[in-house]
Amino acid sequence: MFAPGMWERLFVQVLEVLDDLGEEARRVGLELLEEHALGRDLRERLAVGDAPWRGYDKAAAGIGSALRTLAAISLAHWVSHFHLFVLPMLFPFLKEQLGVGYIELGFAITVLGIVSGLTQAPIGYLADHIGARKVLLMGLTLGGLALVMLGLNLSYPWLLVCAGLLGLANSVYHPCDYAILSAHMDEARMGRAFSIHTFAGFVGGAVAPAIIAALVATVGGLGALIVAGAVGPLAALLLIGLGLPD
């Protein structure tokens, strides 16, 4: 027997193949389906009013919405890992500009990690009460603005403030991302959705060194902070454009 939801997915796949073959193939294929018990059962399950096959459009729209949601959440996770690598990649520049050692710079990363760890539970509570979408968009914007502020006002105290704000921003991603994915992805595809989400995050960290190095070479260290920070608010706007659900 098919698990819940399997009928709809099977039907969508069948009609997608028929659509690719043309209108005549789709018509003949539907007639053949209706000659068998499986086809008639599908017809009844996906009937909408007097249009017995209109459920195809609804099922297809649901799959498209889930893919947009996965793309949006994966983009957010990409940004989170990208932002985590910005400060470490700029350590040589920061050391020279601020006149501090690597111990002081490492302390800033410690601040980031402590703040991120301690705020995970409160952020999860907040996401449950006001909506994961809102909290995720705020986190993207906050993390980006923290880097922009550091680029505009470079000092060691501001570095510590920036690290703390980055830690707070970073704490939103896992609670919000998993809440949204769990609510909007098909259970049969949940494992793949989580793996794609995780993969996108690691890609963000993997490409961050090359991107930051290229930015330093072209716009300098301060420019790199500002450009890297601008990625956060821009990603938030893109997620809104993609129709990120709550």
Side-chain angles (χ1 to χ4, degrees):
M1 297 295 296
F2 287 102
M6 283 294 293
W7 293 101
E8 287 79 2
R9 289 194 297 276
L10 174 62
F11 185 57
V12 168
Q13 292 170 0
V14 169
L15 287 190
E16 282 178 345
V17 172
L18 293 176
D19 283 344
D20 290 339
L21 295 176
E23 285 297 324
E24 183 64 20
R26 187 174 190 273
R27 183 186 63 78
V28 173
L30 294 179
E31 291 177 355
L32 291 174
L33 277 174
E34 291 185 359
E35 292 179 2
H36 299 276
L38 175 59
R40 290 192 295 272
D41 197 4
L42 284 170
R43 186 180 191 274
E44 293 172 2
R45 287 173 178 268
L46 291 169
V48 179
D50 295 329
W53 297 107
R54 195 177 297 165
Y56 162 64
D57 297 328
K58 183 178 179 181
I63 291 176
S65 176
L67 290 177
R68 286 194 301 274
T69 298
L70 178 58
I73 294 300
S74 297
L75 172 62
H77 203 210
W78 184 98
V79 173
S80 75
H81 282 245
F82 172 73
H83 277 172
L84 287 176
F85 278 81
V86 172
L87 292 181
M89 279 300 301
L90 290 174
F91 270 8
F93 167 78
L94 295 172
K95 181 176 182 294
E96 179 182 350
Q97 294 294 313
L98 299 176
V100 298
Y102 286 112
I103 292 178
E104 290 82 1
L105 294 175
F107 178 69
I109 303 303
T110 300
V111 170
L112 188 159
I114 291 175
V115 172
S116 184
L118 292 178
T119 54
Q120 289 285 324
I123 289 296
Y125 177 86
L126 185 64
D128 287 341
H129 282 73
I130 70 171
R133 178 181 183 271
K134 293 179 183 177
V135 178
L136 179 59
L137 294 175
M138 288 190 292
L140 281 166
T141 304
L142 177 64
L145 292 180
L147 291 170
V148 171
M149 287 191 299
L150 182 61
L152 295 175
N153 187 21
L154 185 63
S155 66
Y156 187 69
W158 268 110
L159 173 62
L160 296 181
V161 172
C162 171
L165 292 177
L166 277 175
L168 177 60
N170 183 67
S171 68
V172 313
Y173 293 105
H174 286 169
C176 296
D177 289 1
Y178 288 125
I180 294 173
L181 288 176
S182 297
H184 296 280
M185 296 303 300
D186 192 316
E187 288 185 8
R189 296 185 174 90
M190 196 69 70
R192 279 172 285 181
F194 285 167
S195 66
I196 292 171
H197 162 265
T198 302
F199 172 76
F202 280 108
V203 170
V207 301
I211 294 175
I212 298 302
L215 288 174
V216 171
T218 54
V219 297
L222 295 178
L225 283 168
I226 294 172
V227 173
V231 171
L234 290 175
L237 291 174
L238 183 56
L239 262 60
I240 294 173
L242 288 172
L244 178 69
D246 205 344

